[in-house]
Amino acid sequence: MAIKTLGQFIIEKQADFPYAKGELSRLLRDIGIAAKLVNRVVNKAGLADILGQQGDINIQGEVQQKLDVYADTQFINALKMGGECCYVASEEHEEGVDLSTNTVSKKAKYIVCIDPLDGSSNIDSNVSVGTIFSIYRRFYADRPIQEEEILQVGRKQVAAGYIIYGSSTMLVYTTGCGVNGFTLDPSIGEFCLSHPDMKIASRGSLYSINEGYYSKFPQAVKQYIKYCQEIDPLTNRPYTSRYIGSMVADIHRNLIKGGVFIYPQTSNHPEGKLRLMYECNPMAFIIEQAGGKASTGTTAILDIQPHLLHQRVPIVIGSKEMVEQVENFYSQHIHEAVLTTV
């Protein structure tokens, strides 16, 4: 069977974008190049001086890890040199990075939102981490970048994906025409198509949530956890609890095996903890394209109109029937639902 590389696959699918002339293909290629550089350093993390804290605090109020900073630099540099991206919104920066002032990116058509290294606090424990990205089209090429171009609703994404750095490194992405996965072959240095047309089961047997925060969850989520733990042969319950703490790793496993990932609002974080623009939106786009569903518990993630670059939301994402079951519990406690979408 002939090997199909990421580059070959992107070129083959170019016809899916009649409005583009290769720019999106080159942009995805640039992301793939940066992913290889990050992968190389992640795999040497125990040997190189790249583990541990950088010492700075990012806009999220989190201590930056050295790998956070390295990954952020690599992706921004790749997008800057590629010339197809005019603006980068990164988890690591309070304000977006305007690349349109660069001569090579002046007329670039795309905006990228990115979490350069999701789950980086786990890297010291050799746990899988990842990169999440989201791509939007620019509205106006002949004027300075407008806020409305950056804060677009999730359904206007033209592409989204993630890279998981684990026992093997995979790039999974969608352009709105299904989901495909590519595994990095280190012997040739190329991402090769390994998981074509990925689909998530309509119902799985895994639920992923940090039950350590149980006392701070809304009643709807507490009830769903109890539902998962009940014995019921007709619905194959009890379900199995699996939680890694890296969003990419948890959702990738559930995409492969079927399941639901829940990161709800809590009494400490009433608006939720995960970021809409560069975590929830891209993952929601991927999972919906694979046949699943993504919700806050009351509202579809991809229908939320963002009003802040670093806006946080609760998320329930994964197998369609399992997400709908969580939504049913929310509907029974609608008075408790936090209005995070206003």
Side-chain angles (χ1 to χ4, degrees):
M1 183 177 176
I3 294 175
K4 185 175 291 184
T5 68
L6 175 63
Q8 291 168 335
F9 185 85
I10 290 172
I11 292 171
E12 184 181 288
K13 296 297 181 180
Q14 182 61 44
D16 292 339
F17 304 97
Y19 56 78
K21 296 181 175 63
E23 298 95 343
L24 182 59
S25 298
R26 290 191 291 272
L27 179 54
L28 289 167
R29 176 207 63 195
D30 295 337
I31 290 172
I33 290 171
K36 293 177 191 178
L37 295 172
V38 173
N39 172 73
R40 182 183 63 186
V41 174
V42 167
N43 285 339
K44 293 196 301 183
L47 301 173
D49 183 25
I50 199 71
L51 291 175
Q53 298 177 353
Q54 176 78 5
D56 298 324
I57 305 294
N58 67 13
I59 180 58
Q60 316 304 330
E62 300 162 345
V63 178
Q64 286 182 314
Q65 305 295 314
K66 291 178 182 179
L67 270 171
D68 283 322
V69 177
Y70 177 83
D72 182 64
T73 300
Q74 294 308 313
F75 280 101
I76 290 178
N77 284 347
L79 294 170
K80 183 185 297 183
M81 291 186 291
E84 306 300 344
C85 173
C86 63
Y87 189 94
V88 184
S90 168
E91 182 186 32
E92 302 302 322
H93 298 269
E94 181 173 3
E95 302 291 338
V97 181
D98 188 351
L99 302 181
S100 66
T101 55
N102 249 356
T103 302
V104 69
S105 305
K106 191 172 184 180
K107 294 188 178 180
K109 296 180 179 179
Y110 295 100
I111 292 165
V112 175
C113 300
I114 191 165
D115 181 352
L117 205 65
D118 172 73
S120 59
S121 60
N122 286 324
I123 195 71
D124 287 7
S125 306
N126 205 18
V127 172
S128 294
V129 295
T131 297
I132 310 172
F133 65 89
S134 175
I135 302 173
Y136 295 85
R137 287 190 79 201
R138 187 179 181 183
F139 297 160
Y140 317 109
D142 58 345
R143 67 177 79 171
I145 295 168
Q146 307 293 304
E147 185 178 81
E148 64 184 297
E149 296 179 282
I150 301 163
L151 301 179
Q152 295 186 51
V153 69
R155 294 210 184 275
K156 292 189 177 180
Q157 293 173 94
V158 296
Y162 63 81
I163 301 103
I164 180 168
Y165 311 102
S167 54
S168 61
T169 295
M170 277 190 68
L171 187 154
V172 176
Y173 86 100
T174 182
T175 54
C177 301
V179 178
N180 293 280
F182 300 79
T183 300
L184 182 63
D185 183 344
S187 68
I188 61 173
E190 293 284 355
F191 283 102
C192 300
L193 181 63
S194 56
H195 294 66
D197 195 21
M198 299 176 76
K199 298 293 184 186
I200 187 170
S202 60
R203 177 176 290 274
S205 60
L206 302 174
Y207 71 99
S208 308
I209 187 171
N210 188 346
E211 294 184 60
Y213 291 113
Y214 181 88
S215 63
K216 299 177 180 181
F217 290 155
Q219 191 62 29
V221 175
K222 291 179 180 178
Q223 285 195 320
Y224 181 72
I225 291 173
K226 291 299 183 186
Y227 170 85
C228 291
Q229 296 170 344
E230 291 170 355
I231 298 174
D232 181 9
L234 290 177
T235 55
N236 293 316
R237 288 183 288 145
Y239 296 150
T240 301
S241 175
R242 290 286 183 269
Y243 184 73
I244 298 170
S246 295
M247 185 188 193
V248 167
D250 278 306
I251 291 182
H252 180 71
R253 181 201 53 238
N254 290 358
L255 172 58
I256 300 292
K257 295 180 175 292
V260 63
F261 172 86
I262 308 171
Y263 208 120
Q265 61 270 62
T266 64
S267 54
N268 287 354
H269 297 280
E271 294 184 347
K273 186 77 181 294
L274 299 182
R275 272 65 59 157
L276 174 64
M277 296 296 293
Y278 36 82
E279 290 176 318
C280 297
N281 268 343
M283 284 303 200
F285 190 26
I286 293 165
I287 291 298
E288 285 204 4
Q289 282 295 309
K293 191 171 185 179
S295 166
T296 64
T298 59
T299 305
I301 291 290
L302 294 179
D303 289 336
I304 299 173
Q305 176 60 58
H307 54 84
L308 294 171
L309 192 60
H310 299 287
Q311 183 172 336
R312 299 172 187 259
V313 293
I315 188 168
V316 182
I317 182 170
S319 295
K320 188 170 186 289
E321 291 180 20
M322 299 180 81
V323 173
E324 289 174 346
Q325 183 67 64
V326 180
E327 290 177 323
N328 286 339
F329 282 110
Y330 267 95
S331 68
Q332 296 168 25
H333 297 273
I334 194 66
H335 62 283
E336 279 192 324
V338 178
L339 300 178
T340 60
T341 60
V342 175

